[in-house]
Amino acid sequence: MNAPTRTDLARGTGVDVDRIRADFPILARPTSAGKRLVFLDTAASAQKPRQVIEAEARVYETEYANIHRGVYELSQKATAAYDKARSKVRALLNAASDREIVFVRNGTEAINLVAASWGRKNLKEGDQVILSEMEHHANIVPWQMLRDAIGIELVVIPITDTGELAWEAYEQAFTARTRLVAMTHVSNALGTIVPIREVTRVAHEHGVPVLVDGCQAVPHMPVDVQEIDADFYVFSGHKIYGPTGVGALYARESILKDMPPYQGGGDMIASVTFARTTYADIPQRFEAGTPNIAGTIALGAAIDYVTGLDRQALLRHELALRDYATERLSEINAVRIYGTAPEKAGVISFTIEGVHPHDVGTILDFEGIAVRAGHHCTQPVMDRFGIPATTRASFGIYNDFDDVDDLIRGIARVQEIFA
Ligand code: PMP
């Protein structure tokens, strides 16, 4: 039997990439050097389909007003659309209730909210928070700020040479002072998919809640917070083909209802006098001030867009791209891939011997190929592998096998220049 061709591979995943690509106007625009855009930086931020762009424009054109305040029609329409977006996030994560969904600016703000609100209420000096060595800075720095403010301790679980969580170290890390596990679902630097259901199981055996950083998971795989049994789950809208400036925090209702506000102001109160303020119920208590109304409604459109596709097939497609790219990159002697966990998302971090990752990124850019070069906001991962940076190619639903071929050709060009 012949080896499968690239077309076979693409067909095998059951995804019509050409149809998907046609929804993303930016992909049809050549780069300023006249090249086809090969966008391989979806882990940093995803491109937007026309359906999302138009949804945001439609809000401003037809139903825009501030929410929760007006008695007039436009305000009521905007409020209804905003509330509907909350239900869409609830359904996306399979949360039990809309009350468990808080809109925030992004995943970073969601983690800061939990650290500032839940953390300051429930943690005291000497209490321990377990993190992993592969966390994004967004899931490190807020806990360090809390450490510096109130004296908690951070317990960091190492990662293995393949970029997996050192499982025994995790199981043994729990003490009588462990109060929280804060861990990524999928590593943005290595692609590792963490066995998060097992992570929550072990933590709950010790009576410890778990915050899951889902920024790299929600855009690429179905997520069920009840099945995962997460206590907190966060993600950013811009990585799931939605607009920038909106993200969500899921928190179990029994936990959220006992959390104090994060920011004070309009929309989060029940009543205010100079003597005393009482707060609104959840989730409004955590949404002070005018939110990103149009962006949130457009996030709802992004959720409609991805859930309108076959998400299992999309995942298969991204994993097929991952496998094909890994295979092609492995044929190049000078390339070393960081992150080789068997359970891995469509993220490939690599170095080319003798070439700085920034130079790789710059030369690929001349070829129309957008990749990320740097530490990916995961400096501890770079330290773990003793490197300053990597080049990272990451896939989204619009990437195809030609993109991988172009990447491989671009790397050959890098090697020619540096030969
Ligand atoms: N966590 C992970 C795993 C990420 O990949 C990112 C974005 N690179 C973040 C958190 C932070 O996301 P944002 O910048 O949208 O807040």
Side-chain angles (χ1 to χ4, degrees):
M1 208 173 87
N2 292 334
T5 64
R6 288 189 310 108
T7 317
D8 292 337
L9 286 170
R11 286 208 190 102
T13 65
V15 172
D16 184 350
V17 186
D18 288 341
R19 218 200 80 208
I20 292 173
R21 287 179 71 84
D23 288 334
F24 289 79
I26 214 167
L27 298 179
R29 293 173 63 85
T31 67
S32 48
K35 307 268 183 183
R36 177 182 106 98
L37 172 64
V38 176
F39 188 75
L40 295 174
D41 197 21
T42 295
S45 198
Q47 297 299 345
K48 318 304 171 200
R50 200 180 303 282
Q51 289 81 343
V52 169
I53 300 165
E54 286 173 0
E56 181 146 356
R58 200 164 45 242
V59 175
Y60 290 121
E61 284 171 4
T62 67
E63 60 181 21
Y64 182 73
N66 211 333
I67 55 167
H68 294 152
R69 292 171 207 190
V71 291
Y72 55 91
E73 184 189 0
L74 272 185
S75 177
Q76 288 174 1
K77 271 187 169 171
T79 303
Y82 184 85
D83 290 344
K84 208 161 153 190
R86 196 186 306 278
S87 300
K88 289 177 184 180
V89 172
R90 195 248 321 128
L92 179 74
L93 300 179
N94 193 33
S97 146
D98 286 9
R99 290 162 54 80
E100 299 179 316
I101 306 298
V102 178
F103 283 123
V104 287
R105 275 190 306 136
N106 47 37
T108 301
E109 188 173 47
I111 298 171
N112 277 276
L113 188 163
V114 175
S117 167
W118 183 89
R120 279 185 180 262
K121 178 167 183 201
N122 292 287
L123 303 180
K124 58 180 187 315
E125 190 175 352
D127 283 349
Q128 293 172 332
V129 172
I130 293 179
L131 310 173
S132 86
E133 200 176 9
M134 69 181 124
E135 297 313 311
H136 187 281
H137 296 166
N139 200 22
I140 299 174
V141 184
W143 306 111
Q144 283 178 328
M145 289 164 65
L146 203 55
R147 177 190 67 190
D148 297 344
I150 65 172
I152 61 166
E153 282 174 30
L154 306 186
V155 177
V156 181
I157 310 302
I159 54 175
T160 65
D161 290 344
T162 56
E164 290 165 271
L165 188 70
W167 188 255
E168 280 186 14
Y170 172 64
E171 284 184 315
Q172 288 160 15
F174 289 82
T175 73
R177 293 181 298 146
T178 310
R179 295 285 175 266
L180 179 74
V181 173
M183 202 167 288
T184 195
H185 192 167
V186 174
S187 159
N188 65 307
L190 301 167
T192 314
I193 302 174
V194 173
I196 208 69
R197 177 68 193 94
E198 288 302 293
V199 165
T200 61
R201 184 184 58 72
V202 171
H204 291 162
E205 278 169 14
H206 294 275
V208 173
V210 181
L211 176 146
V212 183
D213 173 358
C215 285
Q216 295 295 340
V218 168
H220 304 288
M221 57 192 72
V223 165
D224 181 333
V225 291
Q226 296 190 70
E227 195 270 326
I228 291 170
D229 210 12
D231 301 281
F232 302 101
Y233 196 101
V234 314
F235 76 93
S236 290
H238 68 94
K239 292 186 202 270
I240 183 166
Y241 312 99
T244 52
V246 59
L249 163 68
Y250 158 81
R252 202 187 284 283
E253 181 162 349
S254 56
I255 297 177
L256 193 62
K257 72 179 177 36
D258 289 332
M259 281 167 49
Y262 169 52
Q263 296 177 328
D267 257 9
M268 52 73 73
I269 54 92
S271 72
V272 177
T273 64
F274 279 106
R276 184 175 124 80
T277 290
T278 56
Y279 302 127
D281 198 358
I282 59 169
Q284 277 73 28
R285 190 193 306 161
F286 301 99
E287 294 181 8
T290 301
N292 182 355
I293 299 166
T296 305
I297 296 168
L299 170 60
I303 292 171
D304 287 345
Y305 182 79
V306 288
T307 55
L309 299 166
D310 177 345
R311 295 208 77 197
Q312 289 293 354
L314 292 175
L315 177 60
R316 273 199 304 279
H317 177 72
E318 289 179 23
L319 297 185
L321 290 171
R322 172 205 66 186
D323 290 344
Y324 179 59
T326 304
E327 199 182 299
R328 296 292 314 271
L329 285 167
S330 306
E331 290 162 3
I332 309 170
N333 281 336
V335 167
R336 169 149 183 217
I337 294 176
Y338 293 86
T340 50
E343 295 293 326
K344 188 180 155 174
V347 172
I348 304 182
S349 257
F350 61 94
T351 53
I352 304 179
E353 205 183 321
V355 192
H356 193 281
H358 284 127
D359 293 332
V360 177
T362 306
I363 295 167
L364 291 179
D365 180 48
F366 294 150
E367 303 295 316
I369 304 163
V371 293
R372 183 135 303 233
H375 52 62
H376 318 296
C377 298
T378 56
Q379 283 185 353
V381 172
M382 301 298 118
D383 292 345
R384 163 68 176 76
F385 290 103
I387 47 176
T390 69
T391 305
R392 181 187 70 187
S394 58
F395 302 116
I397 56 180
Y398 33 60
N399 289 117
D400 59 17
F401 288 81
D402 289 341
D403 292 339
V404 177
D405 287 343
D406 283 349
L407 172 67
I408 301 299
R409 266 194 294 276
I411 290 174
R413 181 86 192 104
V414 172
Q415 290 188 293
E416 251 169 58
I417 290 171
F418 278 83

